[in-house]
Coordinates of all heavy atoms in Angstrom, one line a residue:
M1 N 31.6 127.8 74.5 CA 30.6 127.1 73.8 C 29.4 128.1 73.7 O 29.2 129.0 74.6 CB 30.2 125.9 74.6 CG 31.2 124.9 74.5 SD 30.8 123.3 75.1 CE 29.7 123.5 76.4
N2 N 28.7 128.0 72.7 CA 27.5 128.9 72.5 C 26.2 128.3 73.1 O 25.2 129.0 73.0 CB 27.3 129.1 71.0 CG 28.4 129.9 70.4 OD1 29.1 130.7 71.2 ND2 28.7 129.7 69.2
T3 N 26.3 127.1 73.7 CA 25.0 126.5 74.2 C 25.4 126.0 75.6 O 26.5 125.8 75.9 CB 24.5 125.4 73.3 OG1 25.6 124.3 73.3 CG2 24.2 125.8 71.9
I4 N 24.3 125.8 76.4 CA 24.5 125.1 77.7 C 24.6 123.6 77.5 O 23.6 123.0 77.0 CB 23.3 125.6 78.6 CG1 23.3 127.1 78.8 CG2 23.4 124.8 79.8 CD1 22.1 127.5 79.5
E5 N 25.7 123.1 77.8 CA 25.8 121.7 77.6 C 26.0 121.0 79.0 O 27.1 121.3 79.7 CB 27.1 121.4 76.8 CG 27.0 122.0 75.4 CD 26.0 121.3 74.5 OE1 25.8 120.0 74.8 OE2 25.6 121.9 73.6
W6 N 25.2 120.2 79.4 CA 25.2 119.7 80.8 C 26.4 118.6 80.9 O 26.8 118.4 82.1 CB 23.8 118.9 81.2 CG 23.6 117.8 80.3 CD1 22.8 117.9 79.1 CD2 23.9 116.5 80.3 NE1 22.7 116.7 78.5 CE2 23.4 115.8 79.3 CE3 24.6 115.7 81.3 CZ2 23.6 114.4 79.1 CZ3 24.8 114.4 81.2 CH2 24.2 113.7 80.1
E7 N 26.8 118.1 79.9 CA 27.9 117.1 80.0 C 29.3 117.7 80.0 O 30.3 117.1 79.9 CB 27.8 116.0 79.0 CG 28.2 116.5 77.5 CD 26.9 116.9 76.8 OE1 25.9 117.0 77.3 OE2 27.0 117.3 75.5
M8 N 29.4 119.1 80.0 CA 30.7 119.7 80.1 C 30.9 120.4 81.5 O 30.6 121.6 81.7 CB 30.8 120.8 79.0 CG 30.7 120.2 77.6 SD 32.2 119.3 77.2 CE 33.5 120.5 77.2
P9 N 31.4 119.6 82.5 CA 31.5 120.1 83.8 C 32.7 121.0 84.1 O 33.0 121.3 85.2 CB 31.6 118.9 84.7 CG 32.3 117.9 83.8 CD 31.8 118.3 82.4
Y10 N 33.5 121.3 83.1 CA 34.7 122.0 83.3 C 34.5 123.5 83.4 O 34.3 124.2 82.4 CB 35.7 121.7 82.1 CG 35.8 120.3 81.8 CD1 35.3 119.7 80.6 CD2 36.3 119.4 82.7 CE1 35.3 118.4 80.4 CE2 36.4 118.1 82.5 CZ 35.8 117.5 81.3 OH 35.9 116.2 81.0
F11 N 34.6 124.1 84.5 CA 34.4 125.5 84.7 C 35.3 126.4 84.0 O 36.5 126.2 84.1 CB 34.4 125.8 86.3 CG 34.2 127.3 86.5 CD1 33.0 127.9 86.4 CD2 35.3 128.1 86.8 CE1 32.8 129.3 86.6 CE2 35.2 129.5 87.0 CZ 33.8 130.0 86.9
N12 N 34.8 127.2 83.1 CA 35.5 128.2 82.4 C 36.5 127.7 81.4 O 37.5 128.4 81.1 CB 36.1 129.2 83.4 CG 36.4 130.5 82.8 OD1 35.7 131.0 81.9 ND2 37.4 131.3 83.3
M13 N 36.5 126.4 81.1 CA 37.5 125.8 80.2 C 37.6 126.5 78.8 O 38.6 126.8 78.3 CB 37.3 124.4 80.0 CG 38.3 123.7 79.1 SD 38.1 122.0 78.8 CE 36.7 122.0 77.7
G14 N 36.4 127.0 78.3 CA 36.4 127.6 77.0 C 37.1 128.9 77.0 O 37.5 129.4 75.9
N15 N 37.1 129.6 78.1 CA 37.8 130.9 78.2 C 39.3 130.7 78.6 O 40.0 131.8 78.7 CB 37.1 131.8 79.1 CG 35.8 132.2 78.6 OD1 35.5 132.5 77.4 ND2 34.8 132.2 79.5
T16 N 39.7 129.5 78.8 CA 41.0 129.3 79.4 C 41.9 128.7 78.3 O 43.1 129.1 78.0 CB 40.9 128.3 80.6 OG1 40.1 128.8 81.5 CG2 42.4 128.2 81.3
F17 N 41.5 127.6 77.6 CA 42.2 126.9 76.6 C 41.4 126.7 75.3 O 40.2 126.5 75.4 CB 42.7 125.5 77.1 CG 43.4 125.5 78.3 CD1 42.8 125.1 79.5 CD2 44.8 125.8 78.4 CE1 43.4 125.1 80.7 CE2 45.5 125.8 79.6 CZ 44.9 125.5 80.7
S18 N 42.0 126.9 74.2 CA 41.3 126.6 73.0 C 41.4 125.1 72.7 O 42.1 124.4 73.3 CB 41.9 127.3 71.8 OG 43.2 126.8 71.4
Y19 N 40.5 124.6 71.8 CA 40.6 123.2 71.5 C 41.9 122.8 70.8 O 42.4 121.7 71.0 CB 39.3 122.8 70.6 CG 38.2 122.6 71.4 CD1 37.2 123.7 71.7 CD2 37.8 121.4 72.0 CE1 36.1 123.6 72.5 CE2 36.7 121.2 72.7 CZ 35.9 122.3 73.0 OH 34.7 122.2 73.8
A20 N 42.5 123.7 70.0 CA 43.7 123.5 69.4 C 44.8 123.3 70.4 O 45.6 122.4 70.3 CB 44.1 124.6 68.4
E21 N 44.7 124.1 71.4 CA 45.8 124.1 72.5 C 45.7 122.8 73.3 O 46.7 122.2 73.7 CB 45.7 125.2 73.5 CG 46.1 126.6 72.8 CD 45.8 127.8 73.7 OE1 44.8 127.7 74.5 OE2 46.5 128.7 73.5
M22 N 44.5 122.2 73.5 CA 44.3 120.9 74.1 C 44.8 119.8 73.2 O 45.4 118.9 73.7 CB 42.8 120.8 74.5 CG 42.4 121.6 75.6 SD 40.9 121.2 76.3 CE 39.8 121.8 75.1
V23 N 44.6 119.9 71.9 CA 45.2 118.9 71.0 C 46.8 119.0 71.1 O 47.5 118.0 71.0 CB 44.8 119.1 69.5 CG1 45.4 118.1 68.6 CG2 43.2 118.9 69.5
Y24 N 47.3 120.1 71.2 CA 48.8 120.3 71.3 C 49.3 119.3 72.4 O 50.5 118.9 72.3 CB 49.2 121.7 71.5 CG 48.9 122.8 70.5 CD1 49.0 124.1 70.8 CD2 48.4 122.4 69.2 CE1 48.6 125.0 69.8 CE2 48.2 123.4 68.2 CZ 48.2 124.7 68.6 OH 47.9 125.6 67.7
L25 N 48.5 119.2 73.4 CA 49.0 118.3 74.5 C 49.1 116.9 74.2 O 49.9 116.2 74.9 CB 48.0 118.5 75.7 CG 48.0 119.9 76.4 CD1 46.9 120.0 77.4 CD2 49.3 120.3 76.9
I26 N 48.4 116.4 73.2 CA 48.5 115.0 72.8 C 49.5 114.8 71.6 O 49.6 113.7 71.2 CB 47.1 114.4 72.5 CG1 46.6 115.0 71.2 CG2 46.2 114.5 73.7 CD1 45.4 114.2 70.6
F27 N 49.9 115.9 71.0 CA 50.8 115.8 69.9 C 52.0 114.9 70.2 O 52.5 115.0 71.4 CB 51.3 117.2 69.5 CG 52.4 117.2 68.4 CD1 51.9 117.1 67.1 CD2 53.7 117.3 68.7 CE1 52.9 117.1 66.1 CE2 54.6 117.3 67.7 CZ 54.3 117.1 66.4
P28 N 52.5 114.0 69.5 CA 52.2 113.7 68.1 C 51.2 112.5 67.9 O 51.2 112.0 66.8 CB 53.5 113.4 67.5 CG 54.2 112.6 68.6 CD 53.7 113.3 69.9
R29 N 50.4 112.3 68.8 CA 49.5 111.2 68.6 C 48.4 111.6 67.5 O 48.1 112.7 67.3 CB 48.7 110.9 69.9 CG 49.6 110.3 71.1 CD 48.9 110.1 72.3 NE 49.8 109.4 73.2 CZ 49.6 109.4 74.5 NH1 48.5 109.8 75.0 NH2 50.4 108.7 75.3
P30 N 47.8 110.5 66.9 CA 46.8 110.8 65.9 C 45.6 111.5 66.5 O 45.2 111.4 67.7 CB 46.4 109.3 65.5 CG 47.6 108.5 65.8 CD 48.1 109.1 67.0
F31 N 44.9 112.3 65.7 CA 43.8 113.0 66.2 C 42.7 113.2 65.1 O 43.1 113.5 63.9 CB 44.2 114.4 66.5 CG 43.1 115.4 66.9 CD1 42.4 115.3 68.1 CD2 42.7 116.5 66.0 CE1 41.4 116.2 68.4 CE2 41.7 117.3 66.4 CZ 41.1 117.2 67.6
M32 N 41.4 112.8 65.4 CA 40.4 112.8 64.4 C 39.2 113.7 64.9 O 38.8 113.5 66.1 CB 39.9 111.3 64.1 CG 38.8 111.1 63.2 SD 39.2 111.5 61.5 CE 37.6 111.4 60.8
V33 N 38.5 114.4 64.1 CA 37.4 115.2 64.4 C 36.2 114.8 63.5 O 36.3 114.5 62.3 CB 37.6 116.7 64.1 CG1 36.4 117.5 64.3 CG2 38.8 117.2 64.9
E34 N 35.0 114.7 64.1 CA 33.8 114.4 63.3 C 32.9 115.7 63.5 O 32.7 116.1 64.7 CB 33.0 113.2 63.8 CG 33.8 111.9 63.5 CD 32.9 110.7 63.8 OE1 32.2 110.8 64.8 OE2 33.0 109.7 63.1
R35 N 32.5 116.2 62.4 CA 31.7 117.6 62.5 C 30.5 117.6 61.7 O 30.5 117.5 60.5 CB 32.6 118.6 62.0 CG 32.0 120.0 61.8 CD 31.7 120.6 63.0 NE 30.8 121.7 62.8 CZ 30.1 122.4 63.7 NH1 30.1 121.9 65.0 NH2 29.4 123.4 63.4
G36 N 29.3 117.6 62.5 CA 28.1 117.8 61.8 C 27.8 119.2 61.5 O 28.0 120.1 62.4
H37 N 27.4 119.5 60.3 CA 27.2 121.0 59.9 C 26.1 121.7 60.8 O 26.2 122.9 60.9 CB 26.7 121.1 58.4 CG 27.8 120.7 57.5 ND1 29.0 121.3 57.4 CD2 28.0 119.7 56.6 CE1 29.8 120.8 56.5 NE2 29.1 119.8 55.9
D38 N 25.2 120.9 61.4 CA 24.1 121.5 62.1 C 24.4 121.3 63.7 O 23.5 121.6 64.4 CB 22.8 120.9 61.7 CG 22.4 121.1 60.3 OD1 22.6 122.2 59.8 OD2 21.9 120.1 59.6
D39 N 25.6 121.1 64.1 CA 25.9 120.9 65.4 C 25.9 122.4 66.1 O 26.5 123.3 65.5 CB 27.3 120.3 65.6 CG 27.6 119.9 67.0 OD1 27.1 120.6 68.0 OD2 28.5 119.1 67.2
L40 N 25.2 122.6 67.1 CA 25.1 123.9 67.7 C 26.1 124.3 68.6 O 26.1 125.4 69.1 CB 23.6 124.0 68.4 CG 22.4 123.8 67.5 CD1 21.2 123.7 68.4 CD2 22.4 124.8 66.4
V41 N 27.1 123.4 68.9 CA 28.1 123.8 69.9 C 29.0 124.9 69.3 O 29.2 125.9 70.0 CB 29.1 122.6 70.1 CG1 30.2 123.0 71.0 CG2 28.2 121.5 70.8
Q42 N 29.4 124.9 68.0 CA 30.1 126.0 67.4 C 29.9 126.0 65.9 O 29.6 124.8 65.4 CB 31.6 125.9 67.6 CG 32.1 126.2 69.1 CD 31.9 127.7 69.4 OE1 31.6 128.6 68.5 NE2 32.1 128.0 70.7
P43 N 30.0 127.1 65.2 CA 29.8 127.0 63.7 C 31.0 126.3 63.0 O 32.1 126.2 63.5 CB 29.8 128.5 63.4 CG 30.3 129.3 64.5 CD 30.1 128.4 65.7
D44 N 30.7 125.9 61.8 CA 31.7 125.2 61.0 C 33.0 126.0 60.8 O 34.1 125.5 60.9 CB 31.2 124.9 59.6 CG 30.3 123.7 59.5 OD1 30.2 122.9 60.5 OD2 29.7 123.5 58.5
S45 N 32.8 127.4 60.6 CA 34.0 128.2 60.4 C 35.0 128.2 61.7 O 36.2 128.2 61.5 CB 33.6 129.6 60.1 OG 32.7 130.1 61.2
W46 N 34.4 128.1 62.9 CA 35.2 128.1 64.1 C 35.9 126.7 64.2 O 37.1 126.7 64.6 CB 34.3 128.3 65.4 CG 35.1 128.3 66.6 CD1 35.7 129.4 67.2 CD2 35.4 127.2 67.5 NE1 36.3 129.1 68.4 CE2 36.1 127.7 68.6 CE3 35.0 125.9 67.4 CZ2 36.5 126.9 69.6 CZ3 35.4 125.1 68.5 CH2 36.2 125.6 69.5
V47 N 35.2 125.6 63.9 CA 35.8 124.3 64.0 C 36.9 124.2 62.9 O 38.0 123.8 63.3 CB 34.7 123.2 63.7 CG1 35.4 121.8 63.7 CG2 33.7 123.2 64.8
A48 N 36.7 124.7 61.8 CA 37.7 124.6 60.7 C 39.0 125.5 61.1 O 40.1 125.1 60.8 CB 37.1 125.3 59.4
S49 N 38.7 126.7 61.8 CA 39.8 127.5 62.3 C 40.7 126.7 63.3 O 41.9 126.8 63.3 CB 39.2 128.7 62.8 OG 40.2 129.6 63.4
E50 N 40.0 126.1 64.3 CA 40.7 125.4 65.3 C 41.5 124.2 64.7 O 42.6 123.9 65.0 CB 39.8 124.8 66.4 CG 39.3 126.0 67.3 CD 40.4 126.6 68.2 OE1 41.0 125.9 68.9 OE2 40.6 127.8 68.0
F51 N 40.8 123.5 63.7 CA 41.5 122.4 63.1 C 42.7 122.9 62.2 O 43.7 122.2 62.2 CB 40.5 121.6 62.2 CG 41.1 120.3 61.7 CD1 41.2 119.2 62.5 CD2 41.6 120.2 60.4 CE1 41.8 118.0 62.1 CE2 42.2 119.0 59.9 CZ 42.2 118.0 60.7
A52 N 42.6 124.0 61.6 CA 43.7 124.6 60.8 C 44.9 124.8 61.7 O 46.1 124.6 61.3 CB 43.3 125.9 60.2
K53 N 44.7 125.2 63.0 CA 45.8 125.4 63.9 C 46.5 124.1 64.2 O 47.7 124.0 64.3 CB 45.3 126.1 65.2 CG 44.8 127.5 65.0 CD 44.1 128.0 66.3 CE 43.4 129.3 66.1 NZ 42.7 129.6 67.3
V54 N 45.7 123.1 64.4 CA 46.2 121.7 64.7 C 46.9 121.2 63.5 O 48.1 120.7 63.6 CB 45.1 120.8 65.0 CG1 45.6 119.3 65.2 CG2 44.5 121.2 66.3
R55 N 46.4 121.4 62.3 CA 47.1 120.9 61.1 C 48.4 121.6 60.8 O 49.4 121.0 60.4 CB 46.1 121.1 59.8 CG 46.6 120.5 58.6 CD 45.8 120.8 57.4 NE 46.3 120.0 56.2 CZ 47.3 120.1 55.6 NH1 48.2 121.0 55.9 NH2 47.7 119.4 54.6
Y56 N 48.4 122.9 61.1 CA 49.7 123.6 61.0 C 50.8 123.0 61.9 O 51.9 122.8 61.4 CB 49.5 125.1 61.3 CG 50.8 125.9 61.3 CD1 51.3 126.3 60.0 CD2 51.4 126.3 62.4 CE1 52.4 127.0 59.9 CE2 52.6 127.0 62.3 CZ 53.1 127.4 61.1 OH 54.2 128.0 61.0
L57 N 50.4 122.7 63.2 CA 51.4 122.1 64.1 C 51.9 120.7 63.5 O 53.1 120.5 63.4 CB 50.8 121.8 65.5 CG 51.6 121.0 66.4 CD1 53.0 121.7 66.8 CD2 50.9 120.6 67.6
Y58 N 51.0 119.9 63.1 CA 51.3 118.5 62.6 C 52.2 118.7 61.3 O 53.1 117.9 61.0 CB 50.1 117.7 62.4 CG 49.7 117.0 63.7 CD1 49.1 117.8 64.7 CD2 49.9 115.6 63.9 CE1 48.6 117.1 65.8 CE2 49.5 115.0 65.0 CZ 48.7 115.8 66.0 OH 48.4 115.2 67.1
A59 N 51.9 119.7 60.5 CA 52.6 120.0 59.2 C 54.0 120.3 59.5 O 54.9 120.0 58.7 CB 51.9 121.0 58.4
Q60 N 54.3 121.0 60.6 CA 55.7 121.4 60.9 C 56.6 120.2 61.1 O 57.8 120.3 60.9 CB 55.7 122.3 62.2 CG 54.9 123.6 62.0 CD 55.4 124.4 60.9 OE1 56.5 124.8 60.8 NE2 54.4 124.7 59.9
F61 N 56.0 119.1 61.4 CA 56.7 117.9 61.7 C 56.5 116.8 60.7 O 56.7 115.6 60.8 CB 56.5 117.3 63.1 CG 56.9 118.2 64.2 CD1 56.0 119.2 64.7 CD2 58.2 118.1 64.7 CE1 56.5 120.2 65.7 CE2 58.7 119.1 65.7 CZ 57.8 120.0 66.2
N62 N 55.8 117.1 59.5 CA 55.5 116.2 58.5 C 54.6 115.1 58.9 O 54.8 113.9 58.6 CB 56.7 115.6 57.8 CG 57.5 116.8 57.0 OD1 56.9 117.6 56.4 ND2 58.8 116.8 57.1
L63 N 53.7 115.4 59.8 CA 52.7 114.3 60.4 C 51.3 114.6 60.0 O 50.4 114.1 60.8 CB 53.0 114.3 62.0 CG 54.4 113.9 62.4 CD1 54.4 114.1 63.9 CD2 54.7 112.5 62.0
V64 N 51.0 115.2 59.0 CA 49.6 115.5 58.6 C 48.8 114.3 58.4 O 47.6 114.4 58.6 CB 49.6 116.5 57.3 CG1 48.3 116.7 56.8 CG2 50.3 117.7 57.6
D65 N 49.5 113.2 58.1 CA 48.7 112.0 57.9 C 48.2 111.4 59.1 O 47.4 110.5 59.1 CB 49.6 110.9 57.2 CG 50.8 110.4 58.1 OD1 51.3 111.3 58.7 OD2 51.0 109.2 58.0
R66 N 48.5 112.0 60.3 CA 48.1 111.5 61.6 C 46.8 112.3 62.1 O 46.4 112.2 63.3 CB 49.1 111.7 62.7 CG 50.3 110.7 62.5 CD 51.3 110.8 63.6 NE 52.4 110.0 63.4 CZ 53.3 109.7 64.3 NH1 53.2 110.2 65.6 NH2 54.3 108.9 64.0
I67 N 46.3 113.2 61.3 CA 45.1 114.0 61.7 C 44.0 113.8 60.6 O 44.3 113.5 59.5 CB 45.4 115.5 61.9 CG1 46.0 116.1 60.6 CG2 46.4 115.6 63.1 CD1 46.1 117.6 60.8
G68 N 42.8 114.0 61.0 CA 41.7 113.9 60.0 C 40.4 114.7 60.6 O 40.3 114.9 61.8
I69 N 39.6 115.0 59.6 CA 38.3 115.7 59.9 C 37.3 115.3 59.0 O 37.6 115.1 57.8 CB 38.5 117.2 59.9 CG1 37.2 117.9 60.6 CG2 38.8 117.8 58.6 CD1 37.3 119.4 60.9
Q70 N 36.2 114.9 59.4 CA 35.0 114.5 58.6 C 33.9 115.5 58.9 O 33.4 115.6 60.0 CB 34.5 113.1 58.9 CG 33.4 112.6 58.2 CD 32.8 111.3 58.5 OE1 33.2 110.7 59.5 NE2 31.9 110.8 57.8
Y71 N 33.4 116.1 57.8 CA 32.2 117.0 57.8 C 31.0 116.1 57.3 O 31.3 115.4 56.3 CB 32.4 118.2 57.0 CG 33.5 119.2 57.5 CD1 34.7 119.2 57.0 CD2 33.1 120.1 58.4 CE1 35.6 120.2 57.5 CE2 33.9 121.0 58.9 CZ 35.3 121.1 58.4 OH 36.1 121.9 58.9
F72 N 29.9 116.3 57.9 CA 28.7 115.6 57.4 C 27.5 116.4 57.8 O 27.5 117.3 58.6 CB 28.6 114.2 58.1 CG 28.6 114.2 59.5 CD1 27.4 114.3 60.2 CD2 29.8 114.0 60.2 CE1 27.4 114.2 61.6 CE2 29.7 114.1 61.6 CZ 28.6 114.2 62.3
N73 N 26.4 116.1 57.0 CA 25.1 116.7 57.3 C 24.5 116.2 58.5 O 24.6 114.9 58.7 CB 24.1 116.5 56.2 CG 24.5 117.3 54.9 OD1 25.1 118.4 55.0 ND2 24.3 116.8 53.7
G74 N 24.0 117.0 59.4 CA 23.4 116.6 60.7 C 24.0 117.4 61.8 O 24.8 118.3 61.7
G75 N 23.6 117.0 63.0 CA 23.9 117.7 64.3 C 25.0 117.0 65.0 O 25.9 116.5 64.5
H76 N 24.9 117.1 66.3 CA 25.9 116.6 67.2 C 25.8 115.1 67.3 O 25.0 114.5 68.0 CB 25.7 117.2 68.6 CG 26.8 117.0 69.6 ND1 27.9 117.7 69.5 CD2 27.0 116.1 70.6 CE1 28.7 117.3 70.5 NE2 28.2 116.3 71.1
A77 N 26.5 114.4 66.4 CA 26.4 113.0 66.2 C 27.8 112.4 65.8 O 28.7 113.2 65.6 CB 25.4 112.6 65.1
S78 N 27.8 111.1 65.7 CA 29.0 110.4 65.3 C 28.6 109.6 64.1 O 27.8 108.7 64.1 CB 29.5 109.5 66.5 OG 30.7 108.9 66.1
K79 N 29.4 109.7 63.0 CA 29.1 109.0 61.7 C 30.0 107.7 61.7 O 29.6 106.7 61.2 CB 29.5 109.8 60.6 CG 28.5 110.9 60.3 CD 27.1 110.3 60.0 CE 26.5 111.0 58.8 NZ 25.1 110.5 58.6
N80 N 31.3 107.8 62.1 CA 32.1 106.6 62.3 C 32.8 106.1 61.1 O 33.8 105.4 61.1 CB 31.5 105.5 63.1 CG 31.1 106.0 64.5 OD1 31.9 106.8 65.1 ND2 30.1 105.4 65.1
D81 N 32.2 106.3 59.8 CA 32.7 105.6 58.7 C 34.2 106.1 58.4 O 35.1 105.3 58.3 CB 31.9 105.8 57.4 CG 31.5 107.3 57.2 OD1 31.7 108.2 58.1 OD2 31.1 107.7 56.1
E82 N 34.5 107.4 58.3 CA 35.8 107.9 58.2 C 36.7 107.7 59.4 O 37.9 107.4 59.3 CB 35.9 109.3 57.7 CG 35.4 109.5 56.2 CD 35.5 111.0 55.8 OE1 36.4 111.7 56.3 OE2 34.6 111.3 55.0
T83 N 36.0 107.7 60.6 CA 36.8 107.5 61.8 C 37.3 106.0 61.9 O 38.4 105.9 62.3 CB 35.9 107.8 63.0 OG1 35.5 109.2 62.9 CG2 36.6 107.6 64.3
F84 N 36.4 105.1 61.5 CA 36.9 103.7 61.6 C 38.1 103.5 60.5 O 39.1 102.8 60.8 CB 35.8 102.7 61.3 CG 34.8 102.7 62.4 CD1 33.5 102.3 62.2 CD2 35.2 102.8 63.7 CE1 32.6 102.1 63.2 CE2 34.3 102.7 64.8 CZ 33.0 102.4 64.5
E85 N 38.0 104.1 59.4 CA 39.2 104.1 58.4 C 40.4 104.6 59.1 O 41.5 104.1 59.0 CB 38.8 104.8 57.1 CG 37.8 104.1 56.3 CD 37.5 105.0 55.0 OE1 38.4 105.8 54.6 OE2 36.4 104.8 54.5
F86 N 40.2 105.7 59.8 CA 41.3 106.4 60.5 C 41.9 105.5 61.5 O 43.2 105.4 61.7 CB 40.8 107.7 61.0 CG 41.9 108.6 61.6 CD1 42.7 109.5 60.9 CD2 42.1 108.5 63.1 CE1 43.6 110.2 61.5 CE2 43.1 109.3 63.6 CZ 43.9 110.2 62.9
L87 N 41.1 104.8 62.3 CA 41.6 104.0 63.4 C 42.2 102.7 62.8 O 43.1 102.1 63.5 CB 40.4 103.6 64.2 CG 39.9 104.8 65.2 CD1 38.6 104.3 65.9 CD2 41.0 105.2 66.2
H88 N 41.9 102.3 61.6 CA 42.4 101.1 61.0 C 43.9 101.5 60.7 O 44.8 100.7 60.7 CB 41.8 100.6 59.9 CG 40.6 99.8 60.2 ND1 40.6 98.6 60.8 CD2 39.2 100.1 60.0 CE1 39.3 98.3 61.0 NE2 38.5 99.1 60.5
K89 N 44.1 102.8 60.3 CA 45.4 103.3 60.0 C 46.2 103.7 61.2 O 47.5 103.4 61.3 CB 45.3 104.5 59.0 CG 46.6 105.0 58.5 CD 46.3 106.1 57.5 CE 47.6 106.7 57.0 NZ 47.4 107.8 56.1
H90 N 45.6 104.3 62.2 CA 46.2 104.8 63.4 C 45.3 104.2 64.6 O 44.2 104.7 64.7 CB 46.3 106.2 63.5 CG 47.0 106.9 62.3 ND1 48.3 106.9 62.2 CD2 46.5 107.6 61.3 CE1 48.6 107.5 61.1 NE2 47.5 108.0 60.5
P91 N 45.7 103.4 65.4 CA 47.0 102.8 65.6 C 47.2 101.5 65.0 O 47.5 100.5 65.6 CB 47.0 102.6 67.1 CG 45.6 102.4 67.5 CD 44.7 103.1 66.5
N92 N 46.7 101.3 63.7 CA 47.0 100.2 62.9 C 46.1 99.0 63.4 O 46.6 97.9 63.6 CB 48.5 99.8 62.9 CG 48.7 98.8 61.8 OD1 48.1 98.6 60.8 ND2 49.9 98.0 62.0
W93 N 44.9 99.2 63.5 CA 44.0 98.2 63.9 C 43.8 97.2 62.7 O 44.0 97.6 61.6 CB 42.5 98.7 64.1 CG 42.3 99.3 65.5 CD1 43.3 99.4 66.5 CD2 41.1 99.8 66.0 NE1 42.6 100.0 67.6 CE2 41.4 100.3 67.3 CE3 39.8 100.0 65.5 CZ2 40.3 100.9 68.1 CZ3 38.8 100.5 66.2 CH2 39.1 101.0 67.5
P94 N 43.5 95.9 62.9 CA 43.3 94.9 61.9 C 42.0 95.2 61.0 O 41.1 95.9 61.5 CB 43.2 93.6 62.6 CG 42.8 94.0 64.0 CD 43.3 95.4 64.3

């Protein structure tokens, strides 16, 4: 991480596992990302690169419909509109 985040108590996690590798541990479960363009944790290009690794894994098993990413203007926030659509599809919420 490029910033000091008090809510991340995991010592040296960023130098040990990538975010894509952590998603590999939940495969083949659905996975959704919300990304604010002005989020200071990492740049858009880094987030897109990690997501591309995840997409590649899911594509190998024809499960691309189980992942999603939403980009939006703003910082470290949750928009929820596309996420709620995703959750209605996975795990089939009413």
Side-chain angles (χ1 to χ4, degrees):
M1 293 188 336
N2 292 331
T3 61
I4 296 171
E5 300 289 334
W6 62 269
E7 68 267 7
M8 295 294 291
Y10 314 110
F11 176 74
N12 205 26
M13 185 180 71
N15 293 320
T16 308
F17 304 102
S18 72
Y19 281 90
E21 290 170 332
M22 288 190 285
V23 175
Y24 297 165
L25 295 173
I26 69 163
F27 175 83
R29 292 181 176 163
F31 176 72
M32 175 73 188
V33 175
E34 292 186 325
R35 169 66 190 169
H37 291 299
D38 299 320
D39 192 333
L40 299 176
V41 175
Q42 289 291 350
D44 280 349
S45 60
W46 183 87
V47 174
S49 174
E50 288 294 298
F51 188 78
K53 295 172 192 175
V54 171
R55 189 183 189 291
Y56 179 76
L57 172 67
Y58 279 72
Q60 298 305 303
F61 295 89
N62 295 318
L63 297 173
V64 175
D65 66 321
R66 292 189 184 189
I67 60 171
I69 189 166
Q70 177 186 7
Y71 291 97
F72 57 88
N73 290 326
H76 193 81
S78 182
K79 288 298 227 186
N80 296 331
D81 51 348
E82 290 183 30
T83 300
F84 288 152
E85 289 178 26
F86 185 84
L87 288 172
H88 285 294
K89 186 176 180 182
H90 305 286
N92 195 23
W93 279 4

